[in-house]
Amino acid sequence: MSKGPVASIFGLLAIALIAAGCGGGGDTTSTTATLTKAEFLKQGNQVCAEGNKEINAGYEEFLKKNHLSHKNQPTKAQKEELAETVVLPGIAKQVEGVKALGAPSGEEEQVDAIVEGAEEALEEAEEDPAAFVSEEGGDPFKEVDKLTSAYGLTACSEGE
C-alpha cells in the first residue's frame, strides 16, 4: 500500500496531539494561580505528555478493534469515529488539564489566548469531525499550535 493513507492517519493523530494542550471549552484560565511560568510549563507539558500517551494507546486499541494496521487505510467513517471517540475527547481532557493549572501571574493574556484558541479549534473539530479528518478539511488547530509552541508548551504542540 502507498504511504499516503498511513501518513494521513498519523497526520490526524499528529494534529490531535498538537492540539491536545490547546482546546476545550468554557471560561479562561484562572489568575489566582501561584505557579511560576517555569512551573506552569513543566506541569502543562506533563499534562500533555500523559494525554498524548493516552491518545496513542486509544489509537492503537482502535486499530486492533477495527482489524487495521499502520499499513491499512481506515475508511472515512473509521477516521471520523477515531476523531470522535479517541482524539477529540483526549484533546479536551488535555485542554482542561492545562486550563486548570491557572495562568502564572503576568502571563494571563498569553495563556488565555492559547486556551481560548484551543477551545475554539476543538469546538470546530467536534462540530464537523468529517472535515477535521479529511485531508481537504484543514487544521483548525494550526494557529493555536503556533501560540502553544512559542509559549513553551512543547508537549502540547508537537505531539510526543
Side-chain angles (χ1 to χ4, degrees):
M1 299 212 124
S2 72
K3 289 186 179 181
V6 174
S8 68
I9 295 169
F10 289 112
L12 169 64
L13 188 57
I15 289 168
L17 297 177
I18 287 168
C22 310
D27 300 313
T28 58
T29 56
S30 168
T31 57
T32 60
T34 58
L35 295 176
T36 65
K37 182 176 180 180
E39 293 167 331
F40 174 84
L41 291 175
K42 180 180 179 182
Q43 291 181 28
N45 281 316
Q46 182 177 358
V47 165
C48 291
E50 290 171 7
N52 292 345
K53 288 178 186 175
E54 288 179 23
I55 291 172
N56 286 329
Y59 173 74
E60 293 298 326
E61 184 178 317
F62 182 87
L63 290 179
K64 287 179 187 175
K65 174 184 155 196
N66 290 281
H67 309 292
L68 298 169
S69 70
H70 295 281
K71 294 180 181 180
N72 298 340
Q73 179 181 12
T75 65
K76 182 177 178 182
Q78 288 171 323
K79 288 179 184 178
E80 288 178 44
E81 181 183 351
L82 178 63
E84 291 172 342
T85 63
V86 176
V87 177
L88 297 175
I91 292 170
K93 184 177 177 182
Q94 289 174 316
V95 172
E96 289 306 313
V98 170
K99 183 178 177 179
L101 296 174
S105 180
E107 301 287 320
E108 297 87 0
E109 188 175 320
Q110 296 94 325
V111 174
D112 285 348
I114 290 168
V115 170
E116 289 170 7
E119 290 173 340
E120 290 171 12
L122 181 62
E123 192 173 298
E124 181 182 333
E126 289 173 334
E127 286 176 7
D128 191 1
F132 175 65
V133 298
S134 76
E135 293 179 22
E136 301 83 35
D139 178 3
F141 296 98
K142 183 178 181 179
E143 293 304 313
V144 74
D145 178 48
K146 291 177 186 176
L147 295 174
T148 304
S149 182
Y151 190 74
L153 289 169
T154 55
C156 302
S157 61
E158 294 178 3
E160 292 181 352

